[in-house]
Amino acid sequence: MLRLREARREDLWPVLRVPLSLFGLFAVAALSGEQRLFMALPVLVNLGLLANFAASLRGPVSLVERFARLQEPDLPPGGPAYCRTWTKIWCGFFVANALVSAGLALWAPVAWWTLYTGLLAYLLIGVMFTVEYVVRKATFRRFGDGLPDRLLRRLLRA
């Protein structure tokens, strides 16, 4: 949140668009009181994220690059192309996650839907973040002083 306060105005809307869209979807579901709409929320969330990430691919700066520049304003050479590729990968993830969530909401027992949308989907997101982090470190060889960076520096040296 502190970095958002320091962000340039033109970088703020593309970053805040995702959480504000999600908040709108949750508000509609809560106000309607319809159980099926709640089960559709993971699908709608993934489609909303897909729309935001995909829309950023039409412009010169992808959404992943905007997030990356909040953390590291000066990306290494090849950084923008790398971020654009990962924006596309996230788009594919959101499509797959929406399809699985929809299938489970329509045809599976509620327990399966709950297990996937409440646990497994989040574990998959964590795997995606972890894989991206390791690939980024292996690609750009920029390491910080934190424990994960120190371990990766040793592992990736070979």
Side-chain angles (χ1 to χ4, degrees):
M1 292 306 286
L2 293 175
R3 289 190 179 160
L4 285 177
R5 286 182 31 204
E6 298 170 3
R8 296 179 312 181
R9 189 171 194 84
E10 61 268 15
D11 291 334
L12 207 52
W13 172 243
V15 171
L16 289 177
R17 180 173 56 196
V18 172
L20 291 175
S21 299
L22 296 177
F23 177 76
L25 290 173
F26 287 118
V28 168
L31 292 172
S32 74
E34 176 62 40
Q35 180 183 358
R36 284 287 177 192
L37 190 53
F38 276 105
M39 289 185 77
L41 273 177
V43 178
L44 296 174
V45 165
N46 280 282
L47 293 178
L49 288 167
L50 171 63
N52 283 293
F53 275 66
S56 76
L57 291 170
R58 291 187 312 219
V61 179
S62 69
L63 195 54
V64 170
E65 182 179 344
R66 289 192 189 274
F67 286 126
R69 286 191 185 277
L70 288 173
Q71 195 172 34
E72 187 177 347
D74 297 321
L75 294 179
Y82 173 87
C83 291
R84 186 166 286 278
T85 298
W86 272 95
T87 301
K88 292 173 186 175
I89 291 169
W90 275 107
C91 286
F93 174 83
F94 295 135
V95 168
N97 207 27
L99 289 172
V100 171
S101 297
L104 290 170
L106 291 171
W107 299 301
V110 174
W112 292 10
W113 174 86
T114 303
L115 176 64
Y116 183 79
T117 61
L119 175 66
L120 298 178
Y122 291 103
L123 290 175
L124 290 172
I125 290 169
V127 168
M128 287 279 292
F129 276 116
T130 303
V131 167
E132 186 281 325
Y133 183 78
V134 171
V135 169
R136 179 172 16 112
K137 294 301 177 178
T139 301
F140 296 111
R141 304 289 181 181
R142 285 188 169 185
F143 300 100
D145 295 327
L147 179 60
D149 279 7
R150 289 195 319 258
L151 291 172
L152 285 173
R153 184 183 305 124
R154 280 188 174 178
L155 288 172
L156 297 173
R157 194 182 342 206

